[in-house]
Amino acid sequence: MLSKEIQAEVEKGTMLPLMEEFYTIQGEGFHTGTAAYFIRVGGCDVGCHWCDVKESWNADLHPPTHVDRIVENASRFSETVVVTGGEPLTWDMTALTTKLKDANRRVHIETSGAYPLTGIWDWICLSPKKMKLPVQEVYDKAHELKVIVHNKHDFVFAEEQADSVNKDAILFLQPEWSKKEEMTPLIVEYVMKNPKWRVSLQTHKYLNIP
Ligand code: SF4
């Protein structure tokens, strides 16, 4: 049970339930192959059945950590910081991102877009989920739309999402990891027929890095 003081800090976003933080190579999407410091924030109630970070869902399992400490760690490693989860927009991202920008970091987010957008972002990767669709502001501001393909119906969902996102967003289709043998050839074929899309692969998993 958190003290009232800590709970108030978490509500303000000056403390965040930190699941893990690590320096690695961005494995997927537009920035694939580039070094980045990842901050994984706990808490998500979107409920994707194929989620590969289910341990992140319960925020209570992850220690509330002051954003100053997170920024200090991130600043030692990388110019680019990726905030992921869980669903980072469960929390107010203003304090964390303001401090990261003060420390001259490039700040990226990976989000389902299910909650209102808070924070200052250099790059927004929107990965929409059927169970809780994005809010309009995230569609409007996303730099990248990354749709996870778990079954054939997800191509229909991907097109619906491409119609909703702003016209400058770069469009990616990415096989869900457990279905990659089945879905990757379909994605390759789909992208060749519909070249507004690009293929994204979870290269970090092939490289066996976090
Ligand atoms: Fe997992 Fe992301 Fe879906 Fe949340 S939105 S359940 S973290 S895949």
Side-chain angles (χ1 to χ4, degrees), residues 26 28-31 46 48 50 82-84 86-89 107-117 121-130 132-149 157-174 197-198 200:
Q26 169 63 270
E28 54 192 63
F30 184 79
H31 294 285
V46 175
C48 309
W50 43 259
V82 179
V83 182
T84 187
E87 173 44 68
L89 295 179
V107 191
H108 299 188
I109 185 171
E110 303 201 337
T111 178
S112 68
Y115 294 103
L117 188 64
W121 304 103
D122 295 297
W123 192 267
I124 297 173
C125 172
L126 170 61
S127 184
K129 304 297 175 337
K130 286 177 192 159
K132 243 186 213 287
L133 290 173
V135 299
Q136 190 59 46
E137 191 184 5
V138 186
Y139 282 128
D140 294 345
K141 294 194 173 156
H143 299 87
E144 167 181 6
L145 175 75
K146 185 175 70 191
V147 179
I148 310 304
V149 179
F157 177 67
E159 291 297 345
E160 289 164 4
Q161 295 305 297
D163 287 343
S164 300
V165 79
N166 70 80
K167 66 173 178 33
D168 295 325
I170 302 166
L171 309 179
F172 289 94
L173 294 171
Q174 177 174 298
W197 292 97
R198 302 181 191 189
S200 171

Side-chain angles (χ1 to χ4, degrees), residues 40 43-54 56-57 85-87 111-112 127 129 131 148:
R40 189 183 301 287
C44 183
D45 66 357
V46 175
C48 309
H49 63 93
W50 43 259
C51 178
D52 58 359
V53 277
K54 290 194 169 106
S56 71
W57 291 5
E87 173 44 68
T111 178
S112 68
S127 184
K129 304 297 175 337
M131 287 71 75
I148 310 304

Side-chain angles (χ1 to χ4, degrees), residues 13-112:
T14 45
M15 292 181 98
L16 293 167
L18 181 65
M19 179 174 162
E20 54 180 347
E21 46 185 343
F22 48 93
Y23 184 42
T24 188
I25 302 293
Q26 169 63 270
E28 54 192 63
F30 184 79
H31 294 285
T32 294
T34 58
Y37 192 79
F38 277 69
I39 297 168
R40 189 183 301 287
V41 182
C44 183
D45 66 357
V46 175
C48 309
H49 63 93
W50 43 259
C51 178
D52 58 359
V53 277
K54 290 194 169 106
E55 324 80 80
S56 71
W57 291 5
N58 183 355
D60 295 344
L61 300 179
H62 307 294
T65 306
H66 206 283
V67 293
D68 287 340
R69 218 216 74 199
I70 301 174
V71 173
E72 196 183 308
N73 289 348
S75 302
R76 274 193 275 131
F77 286 93
S78 181
E79 270 178 32
T80 301
V81 176
V82 179
V83 182
T84 187
E87 173 44 68
L89 295 179
T90 305
W91 315 102
D92 186 343
M93 287 286 129
T94 309
L96 175 65
T97 56
T98 303
K99 285 174 189 254
L100 285 168
K101 290 311 296 173
D102 289 348
N104 290 322
R105 301 299 109 178
R106 274 189 60 77
V107 191
H108 299 188
I109 185 171
E110 303 201 337
T111 178
S112 68

